[in-house]
Amino acid sequence: MSDDLLAAVDRIKGLIVPLLQGQSAAELGRVLVYVQSVPRSLDASRAALRALEEKEGEETDPDRDEQERRKKRAAIEQACRRGVQNSLSFARRNLDSARMQALEALVYRPRLARKADLERRALALQKSLDRMEDPAPAMLEHYAGSSDPLNKYLLAGPWGHEYLQRRKIDTEEYDTALCRLLGWREKEGGGVVMSYAPLRRAIDELEAVAQCTLDPIPGPDGSKR
């Protein structure tokens, strides 16, 4: 197994284990399970390829179709790719759920806020933020300067984080500043919020390392098929 792959898995484990005592423990535990299944998928594929090579080595028919052999190897590799992609997709979904759960516990939602009110306010905020190349600093400034509880809920809660994610903006600095501003750093869910962006990056890195390992998977003799 690649040292880089194991290091990538260990990096994710190191970020998750300290958070497993909180309310998002179940979701984060599943993230870890899915992440740790990636090297197992690769090991299983290598074992299947070795078994295929051994079986082919026992063949005595010189006219055996090489194309058929390649199809079998490709099917094993493709199944591994699908398994890795599915595992990482589920890992990301559970990480998103863990952050959502933490934010819902941490951010005050105005009791009388109607869904229509939130939608109108969110649309107004989005129109303003869409004009900015990097909206995160403006969101923090607006949160600190606003006295409107709807604005504060939207900016600090799930909507604001999902907006930054849609804009493909790394939320680490935003989350750290927000947790410092609101005193969340020592709270149970604060660690989940601040660890979200590093965990997303670590999962992306694991995916990149796995892809290098998968494309293509080396044969038992070290050659690439």
Side-chain angles (χ1 to χ4, degrees):
M1 182 57 61
S2 162
D3 289 342
D4 289 343
L5 188 71
L6 293 176
V9 172
D10 285 344
R11 193 175 304 119
I12 294 169
K13 182 178 179 180
L15 290 167
I16 286 179
V17 168
L19 305 173
L20 289 179
Q21 304 303 316
Q23 61 184 4
S24 300
E27 289 78 7
L28 292 171
R30 285 193 286 271
V31 173
L32 189 55
V33 168
Y34 285 122
V35 162
Q36 291 175 327
S37 73
V38 171
R40 289 197 294 271
S41 293
L42 291 166
D43 282 343
S45 294
R46 282 188 172 82
L49 286 171
R50 283 195 297 271
L52 181 62
E53 292 283 351
E54 290 170 3
K55 183 177 180 181
E56 290 173 354
E58 296 170 358
E59 291 287 342
T60 57
D61 183 358
D63 297 325
R64 180 176 172 80
D65 189 358
E66 177 62 21
Q67 186 176 3
E68 185 63 25
R69 298 181 188 180
R70 291 183 180 276
K71 283 182 180 180
K72 289 183 178 180
R73 293 189 195 108
I76 292 170
E77 293 173 359
Q78 184 60 33
C80 183
R81 287 189 179 89
R82 283 197 303 268
V84 169
Q85 290 168 357
N86 288 340
S87 292
L88 295 180
S89 176
F90 288 129
R92 291 185 177 105
R93 289 183 196 177
N94 277 279
L95 180 58
D96 288 346
S97 295
R99 182 180 67 170
M100 182 72 71
Q101 188 177 62
L103 288 170
E104 288 175 344
L106 289 167
V107 183
Y108 169 73
R109 174 171 179 157
R111 292 187 179 86
L112 300 179
R114 296 179 302 174
K115 183 179 179 180
D117 296 331
L118 289 170
E119 289 175 348
R120 281 195 297 270
R121 192 63 57 84
L123 182 59
L125 284 171
Q126 181 174 335
K127 286 181 178 178
S128 175
L129 296 170
D130 282 348
R131 296 194 291 268
M132 302 176 187
E133 184 175 346
D134 183 6
M139 291 168 66
L140 287 169
E141 184 179 349
H142 189 43
Y143 181 93
S146 176
S147 59
D148 189 321
L150 280 183
N151 280 347
K152 287 182 175 291
Y153 171 71
L154 289 168
L155 291 167
W159 182 87
H161 286 80
E162 289 172 352
Y163 174 79
L164 290 175
Q165 195 166 337
R166 289 197 304 273
R167 292 284 304 271
K168 301 187 184 305
I169 293 172
D170 191 303
T171 62
E172 184 170 14
E173 289 186 12
Y174 182 78
D175 289 334
T176 300
L178 195 63
C179 287
R180 186 184 301 117
L181 177 66
L182 299 178
W184 292 351
R185 300 179 76 178
E186 304 303 322
K187 290 189 176 181
E188 187 176 277
V192 176
V193 173
M194 289 189 292
S195 297
Y196 176 85
L199 275 166
R200 286 284 299 199
R201 287 198 303 273
I203 291 173
D204 290 345
E205 290 167 8
L206 173 61
E207 183 172 34
V209 173
Q211 185 57 49
C212 290
T213 306
L214 283 166
D215 192 20
I217 294 176
D221 60 354
S223 63
K224 294 186 176 181
R225 302 291 177 175

